[in-house]
Amino acid sequence: MSTRSRSLLILLALAAGLSGCGTVNEKLSFGMGDYVPQWAGGLPADAPPRPGTPQYDAYLKERERKRLMPAADREKEEQAQKGATGATSGGAVR
């Protein structure tokens, strides 16, 4: 086999390998963000659940419940939640 045809064969093999990686990474990257820690660029702790899951349906129902609630009651509930999480949050922002 000549050097030219060997180079062409290697180039074709590399191109085929790289094109195959595109579809694999597309499918893997969708769910991998859920497993990356927040400090490494993953989802924040307060991110809503993914669409299509039962948790997402419950999240939407809770959001709709809060939207329909009178403003005074909503503020009281938010303050109660902040008070409960504020005691465990740790340090102050400077």
PDB file of all heavy atoms in Angstrom, residues 61-83:
ATOM      1  N   LYS A  61     -47.665  22.574  39.756  1.00  0.00           N
ATOM      2  CA  LYS A  61     -48.877  22.725  40.562  1.00  0.00           C
ATOM      3  C   LYS A  61     -48.623  23.655  41.746  1.00  0.00           C
ATOM      4  O   LYS A  61     -49.458  24.500  42.069  1.00  0.00           O
ATOM      5  CB  LYS A  61     -49.339  21.355  41.068  1.00  0.00           C
ATOM      6  CG  LYS A  61     -49.987  20.516  40.002  1.00  0.00           C
ATOM      7  CD  LYS A  61     -50.413  19.172  40.547  1.00  0.00           C
ATOM      8  CE  LYS A  61     -50.972  18.304  39.428  1.00  0.00           C
ATOM      9  NZ  LYS A  61     -51.316  16.960  39.905  1.00  0.00           N
ATOM     10  N   GLU A  62     -47.478  23.509  42.391  1.00  0.00           N
ATOM     11  CA  GLU A  62     -47.136  24.376  43.525  1.00  0.00           C
ATOM     12  C   GLU A  62     -46.975  25.825  43.067  1.00  0.00           C
ATOM     13  O   GLU A  62     -47.419  26.754  43.733  1.00  0.00           O
ATOM     14  CB  GLU A  62     -45.851  23.877  44.193  1.00  0.00           C
ATOM     15  CG  GLU A  62     -45.382  24.725  45.347  1.00  0.00           C
ATOM     16  CD  GLU A  62     -46.329  24.716  46.532  1.00  0.00           C
ATOM     17  OE1 GLU A  62     -47.177  23.818  46.622  1.00  0.00           O
ATOM     18  OE2 GLU A  62     -46.226  25.630  47.369  1.00  0.00           O
ATOM     19  N   ARG A  63     -46.338  26.024  41.918  1.00  0.00           N
ATOM     20  CA  ARG A  63     -46.159  27.363  41.376  1.00  0.00           C
ATOM     21  C   ARG A  63     -47.514  28.012  41.053  1.00  0.00           C
ATOM     22  O   ARG A  63     -47.729  29.194  41.329  1.00  0.00           O
ATOM     23  CB  ARG A  63     -45.297  27.273  40.118  1.00  0.00           C
ATOM     24  CG  ARG A  63     -44.457  28.483  39.888  1.00  0.00           C
ATOM     25  CD  ARG A  63     -43.456  28.209  38.829  1.00  0.00           C
ATOM     26  NE  ARG A  63     -43.932  28.845  37.610  1.00  0.00           N
ATOM     27  CZ  ARG A  63     -43.355  28.757  36.450  1.00  0.00           C
ATOM     28  NH1 ARG A  63     -42.284  28.031  36.300  1.00  0.00           N
ATOM     29  NH2 ARG A  63     -43.835  29.382  35.413  1.00  0.00           N
ATOM     30  N   GLU A  64     -48.413  27.226  40.487  1.00  0.00           N
ATOM     31  CA  GLU A  64     -49.754  27.735  40.162  1.00  0.00           C
ATOM     32  C   GLU A  64     -50.529  28.049  41.435  1.00  0.00           C
ATOM     33  O   GLU A  64     -51.249  29.047  41.509  1.00  0.00           O
ATOM     34  CB  GLU A  64     -50.503  26.719  39.304  1.00  0.00           C
ATOM     35  CG  GLU A  64     -51.864  27.169  38.854  1.00  0.00           C
ATOM     36  CD  GLU A  64     -51.836  28.343  37.889  1.00  0.00           C
ATOM     37  OE1 GLU A  64     -50.764  28.637  37.320  1.00  0.00           O
ATOM     38  OE2 GLU A  64     -52.893  28.972  37.702  1.00  0.00           O
ATOM     39  N   ARG A  65     -50.365  27.210  42.466  1.00  0.00           N
ATOM     40  CA  ARG A  65     -51.038  27.453  43.747  1.00  0.00           C
ATOM     41  C   ARG A  65     -50.569  28.775  44.339  1.00  0.00           C
ATOM     42  O   ARG A  65     -51.365  29.587  44.801  1.00  0.00           O
ATOM     43  CB  ARG A  65     -50.763  26.313  44.719  1.00  0.00           C
ATOM     44  CG  ARG A  65     -51.495  26.445  46.052  1.00  0.00           C
ATOM     45  CD  ARG A  65     -51.033  25.421  47.060  1.00  0.00           C
ATOM     46  NE  ARG A  65     -49.669  25.624  47.489  1.00  0.00           N
ATOM     47  CZ  ARG A  65     -49.294  26.504  48.434  1.00  0.00           C
ATOM     48  NH1 ARG A  65     -50.183  27.276  49.015  1.00  0.00           N
ATOM     49  NH2 ARG A  65     -48.040  26.606  48.785  1.00  0.00           N
ATOM     50  N   LYS A  66     -49.255  29.017  44.287  1.00  0.00           N
ATOM     51  CA  LYS A  66     -48.723  30.273  44.822  1.00  0.00           C
ATOM     52  C   LYS A  66     -49.179  31.467  43.987  1.00  0.00           C
ATOM     53  O   LYS A  66     -49.406  32.547  44.520  1.00  0.00           O
ATOM     54  CB  LYS A  66     -47.198  30.223  44.869  1.00  0.00           C
ATOM     55  CG  LYS A  66     -46.672  29.350  45.973  1.00  0.00           C
ATOM     56  CD  LYS A  66     -45.165  29.397  46.020  1.00  0.00           C
ATOM     57  CE  LYS A  66     -44.639  28.522  47.131  1.00  0.00           C
ATOM     58  NZ  LYS A  66     -43.175  28.552  47.201  1.00  0.00           N
ATOM     59  N   ARG A  67     -49.301  31.282  42.682  1.00  0.00           N
ATOM     60  CA  ARG A  67     -49.727  32.378  41.817  1.00  0.00           C
ATOM     61  C   ARG A  67     -51.163  32.798  42.120  1.00  0.00           C
ATOM     62  O   ARG A  67     -51.495  33.977  42.091  1.00  0.00           O
ATOM     63  CB  ARG A  67     -49.614  31.964  40.352  1.00  0.00           C
ATOM     64  CG  ARG A  67     -49.860  33.106  39.379  1.00  0.00           C
ATOM     65  CD  ARG A  67     -49.815  32.620  37.951  1.00  0.00           C
ATOM     66  NE  ARG A  67     -50.965  31.813  37.582  1.00  0.00           N
ATOM     67  CZ  ARG A  67     -52.152  32.307  37.229  1.00  0.00           C
ATOM     68  NH1 ARG A  67     -52.354  33.603  37.218  1.00  0.00           N
ATOM     69  NH2 ARG A  67     -53.138  31.494  36.885  1.00  0.00           N
ATOM     70  N   LEU A  68     -52.018  31.831  42.428  1.00  0.00           N
ATOM     71  CA  LEU A  68     -53.418  32.127  42.708  1.00  0.00           C
ATOM     72  C   LEU A  68     -53.660  32.604  44.141  1.00  0.00           C
ATOM     73  O   LEU A  68     -54.743  33.094  44.456  1.00  0.00           O
ATOM     74  CB  LEU A  68     -54.273  30.885  42.427  1.00  0.00           C
ATOM     75  CG  LEU A  68     -54.309  30.448  40.958  1.00  0.00           C
ATOM     76  CD1 LEU A  68     -55.053  29.139  40.818  1.00  0.00           C
ATOM     77  CD2 LEU A  68     -54.901  31.525  40.081  1.00  0.00           C
ATOM     78  N   MET A  69     -52.662  32.480  44.993  1.00  0.00           N
ATOM     79  CA  MET A  69     -52.779  32.871  46.396  1.00  0.00           C
ATOM     80  C   MET A  69     -52.762  34.402  46.513  1.00  0.00           C
ATOM     81  O   MET A  69     -52.062  35.071  45.757  1.00  0.00           O
ATOM     82  CB  MET A  69     -51.589  32.267  47.157  1.00  0.00           C
ATOM     83  CG  MET A  69     -51.608  32.471  48.640  1.00  0.00           C
ATOM     84  SD  MET A  69     -50.113  31.803  49.399  1.00  0.00           S
ATOM     85  CE  MET A  69     -50.341  30.069  49.150  1.00  0.00           C
ATOM     86  N   PRO A  70     -53.532  34.977  47.447  1.00  0.00           N
ATOM     87  CA  PRO A  70     -53.465  36.429  47.663  1.00  0.00           C
ATOM     88  C   PRO A  70     -52.045  36.862  48.038  1.00  0.00           C
ATOM     89  O   PRO A  70     -51.285  36.113  48.650  1.00  0.00           O
ATOM     90  CB  PRO A  70     -54.427  36.664  48.827  1.00  0.00           C
ATOM     91  CG  PRO A  70     -55.337  35.494  48.814  1.00  0.00           C
ATOM     92  CD  PRO A  70     -54.530  34.347  48.287  1.00  0.00           C
ATOM     93  N   ALA A  71     -51.692  38.080  47.666  1.00  0.00           N
ATOM     94  CA  ALA A  71     -50.326  38.569  47.849  1.00  0.00           C
ATOM     95  C   ALA A  71     -49.904  38.569  49.319  1.00  0.00           C
ATOM     96  O   ALA A  71     -48.765  38.233  49.643  1.00  0.00           O
ATOM     97  CB  ALA A  71     -50.184  39.963  47.261  1.00  0.00           C
ATOM     98  N   ALA A  72     -50.803  38.938  50.213  1.00  0.00           N
ATOM     99  CA  ALA A  72     -50.451  38.989  51.637  1.00  0.00           C
ATOM    100  C   ALA A  72     -50.102  37.596  52.158  1.00  0.00           C
ATOM    101  O   ALA A  72     -49.120  37.422  52.893  1.00  0.00           O
ATOM    102  CB  ALA A  72     -51.601  39.584  52.436  1.00  0.00           C
ATOM    103  N   ASP A  73     -50.908  36.606  51.780  1.00  0.00           N
ATOM    104  CA  ASP A  73     -50.631  35.233  52.227  1.00  0.00           C
ATOM    105  C   ASP A  73     -49.331  34.711  51.614  1.00  0.00           C
ATOM    106  O   ASP A  73     -48.572  34.000  52.265  1.00  0.00           O
ATOM    107  CB  ASP A  73     -51.782  34.305  51.842  1.00  0.00           C
ATOM    108  CG  ASP A  73     -53.064  34.655  52.586  1.00  0.00           C
ATOM    109  OD1 ASP A  73     -52.991  35.346  53.624  1.00  0.00           O
ATOM    110  OD2 ASP A  73     -54.137  34.235  52.117  1.00  0.00           O
ATOM    111  N   ARG A  74     -49.076  35.077  50.365  1.00  0.00           N
ATOM    112  CA  ARG A  74     -47.871  34.629  49.677  1.00  0.00           C
ATOM    113  C   ARG A  74     -46.620  35.198  50.367  1.00  0.00           C
ATOM    114  O   ARG A  74     -45.639  34.496  50.560  1.00  0.00           O
ATOM    115  CB  ARG A  74     -47.921  35.074  48.218  1.00  0.00           C
ATOM    116  CG  ARG A  74     -46.877  34.459  47.365  1.00  0.00           C
ATOM    117  CD  ARG A  74     -46.975  34.840  45.900  1.00  0.00           C
ATOM    118  NE  ARG A  74     -48.328  35.131  45.456  1.00  0.00           N
ATOM    119  CZ  ARG A  74     -48.658  36.146  44.680  1.00  0.00           C
ATOM    120  NH1 ARG A  74     -47.736  36.975  44.236  1.00  0.00           N
ATOM    121  NH2 ARG A  74     -49.900  36.332  44.311  1.00  0.00           N
ATOM    122  N   GLU A  75     -46.688  36.485  50.760  1.00  0.00           N
ATOM    123  CA  GLU A  75     -45.553  37.109  51.437  1.00  0.00           C
ATOM    124  C   GLU A  75     -45.291  36.449  52.784  1.00  0.00           C
ATOM    125  O   GLU A  75     -44.141  36.226  53.162  1.00  0.00           O
ATOM    126  CB  GLU A  75     -45.793  38.597  51.606  1.00  0.00           C
ATOM    127  CG  GLU A  75     -45.721  39.372  50.300  1.00  0.00           C
ATOM    128  CD  GLU A  75     -46.106  40.827  50.470  1.00  0.00           C
ATOM    129  OE1 GLU A  75     -46.344  41.254  51.625  1.00  0.00           O
ATOM    130  OE2 GLU A  75     -46.157  41.533  49.456  1.00  0.00           O
ATOM    131  N   LYS A  76     -46.359  36.150  53.523  1.00  0.00           N
ATOM    132  CA  LYS A  76     -46.195  35.480  54.815  1.00  0.00           C
ATOM    133  C   LYS A  76     -45.533  34.115  54.637  1.00  0.00           C
ATOM    134  O   LYS A  76     -44.647  33.737  55.399  1.00  0.00           O
ATOM    135  CB  LYS A  76     -47.546  35.311  55.507  1.00  0.00           C
ATOM    136  CG  LYS A  76     -48.133  36.597  56.022  1.00  0.00           C
ATOM    137  CD  LYS A  76     -49.509  36.351  56.643  1.00  0.00           C
ATOM    138  CE  LYS A  76     -50.179  37.632  57.031  1.00  0.00           C
ATOM    139  NZ  LYS A  76     -51.538  37.416  57.546  1.00  0.00           N
ATOM    140  N   GLU A  77     -45.974  33.369  53.627  1.00  0.00           N
ATOM    141  CA  GLU A  77     -45.402  32.042  53.378  1.00  0.00           C
ATOM    142  C   GLU A  77     -43.935  32.134  52.972  1.00  0.00           C
ATOM    143  O   GLU A  77     -43.099  31.361  53.424  1.00  0.00           O
ATOM    144  CB  GLU A  77     -46.206  31.334  52.289  1.00  0.00           C
ATOM    145  CG  GLU A  77     -45.790  29.902  52.078  1.00  0.00           C
ATOM    146  CD  GLU A  77     -46.689  29.197  51.085  1.00  0.00           C
ATOM    147  OE1 GLU A  77     -47.917  29.255  51.252  1.00  0.00           O
ATOM    148  OE2 GLU A  77     -46.139  28.590  50.158  1.00  0.00           O
ATOM    149  N   GLU A  78     -43.603  33.118  52.124  1.00  0.00           N
ATOM    150  CA  GLU A  78     -42.206  33.289  51.705  1.00  0.00           C
ATOM    151  C   GLU A  78     -41.322  33.672  52.875  1.00  0.00           C
ATOM    152  O   GLU A  78     -40.187  33.207  52.990  1.00  0.00           O
ATOM    153  CB  GLU A  78     -42.116  34.334  50.593  1.00  0.00           C
ATOM    154  CG  GLU A  78     -42.662  33.842  49.269  1.00  0.00           C
ATOM    155  CD  GLU A  78     -42.689  34.936  48.212  1.00  0.00           C
ATOM    156  OE1 GLU A  78     -42.258  36.080  48.515  1.00  0.00           O
ATOM    157  OE2 GLU A  78     -43.134  34.647  47.098  1.00  0.00           O
ATOM    158  N   GLN A  79     -41.820  34.538  53.768  1.00  0.00           N
ATOM    159  CA  GLN A  79     -41.049  34.925  54.942  1.00  0.00           C
ATOM    160  C   GLN A  79     -40.838  33.742  55.876  1.00  0.00           C
ATOM    161  O   GLN A  79     -39.774  33.574  56.453  1.00  0.00           O
ATOM    162  CB  GLN A  79     -41.734  36.070  55.681  1.00  0.00           C
ATOM    163  CG  GLN A  79     -41.634  37.397  54.943  1.00  0.00           C
ATOM    164  CD  GLN A  79     -42.389  38.500  55.649  1.00  0.00           C
ATOM    165  OE1 GLN A  79     -43.072  38.257  56.646  1.00  0.00           O
ATOM    166  NE2 GLN A  79     -42.286  39.721  55.137  1.00  0.00           N
ATOM    167  N   ALA A  80     -41.855  32.911  56.005  1.00  0.00           N
ATOM    168  CA  ALA A  80     -41.722  31.721  56.848  1.00  0.00           C
ATOM    169  C   ALA A  80     -40.686  30.767  56.263  1.00  0.00           C
ATOM    170  O   ALA A  80     -39.875  30.184  56.989  1.00  0.00           O
ATOM    171  CB  ALA A  80     -43.058  31.025  57.004  1.00  0.00           C
ATOM    172  N   GLN A  81     -40.677  30.609  54.935  1.00  0.00           N
ATOM    173  CA  GLN A  81     -39.690  29.739  54.292  1.00  0.00           C
ATOM    174  C   GLN A  81     -38.286  30.322  54.415  1.00  0.00           C
ATOM    175  O   GLN A  81     -37.326  29.604  54.646  1.00  0.00           O
ATOM    176  CB  GLN A  81     -40.041  29.525  52.828  1.00  0.00           C
ATOM    177  CG  GLN A  81     -41.217  28.632  52.621  1.00  0.00           C
ATOM    178  CD  GLN A  81     -41.584  28.474  51.144  1.00  0.00           C
ATOM    179  OE1 GLN A  81     -41.048  29.169  50.294  1.00  0.00           O
ATOM    180  NE2 GLN A  81     -42.500  27.569  50.861  1.00  0.00           N
ATOM    181  N   LYS A  82     -38.149  31.628  54.251  1.00  0.00           N
ATOM    182  CA  LYS A  82     -36.837  32.268  54.391  1.00  0.00           C
ATOM    183  C   LYS A  82     -36.332  32.148  55.818  1.00  0.00           C
ATOM    184  O   LYS A  82     -35.151  31.956  56.046  1.00  0.00           O
ATOM    185  CB  LYS A  82     -36.903  33.734  53.978  1.00  0.00           C
ATOM    186  CG  LYS A  82     -36.986  33.937  52.493  1.00  0.00           C
ATOM    187  CD  LYS A  82     -37.030  35.408  52.154  1.00  0.00           C
ATOM    188  CE  LYS A  82     -37.215  35.611  50.665  1.00  0.00           C
ATOM    189  NZ  LYS A  82     -37.321  37.050  50.332  1.00  0.00           N
ATOM    190  N   GLY A  83     -37.234  32.266  56.780  1.00  0.00           N
ATOM    191  CA  GLY A  83     -36.841  32.125  58.178  1.00  0.00           C
ATOM    192  C   GLY A  83     -36.364  30.720  58.482  1.00  0.00           C
ATOM    193  O   GLY A  83     -35.412  30.508  59.219  1.00  0.00           O
TER     194      GLY A  83
END
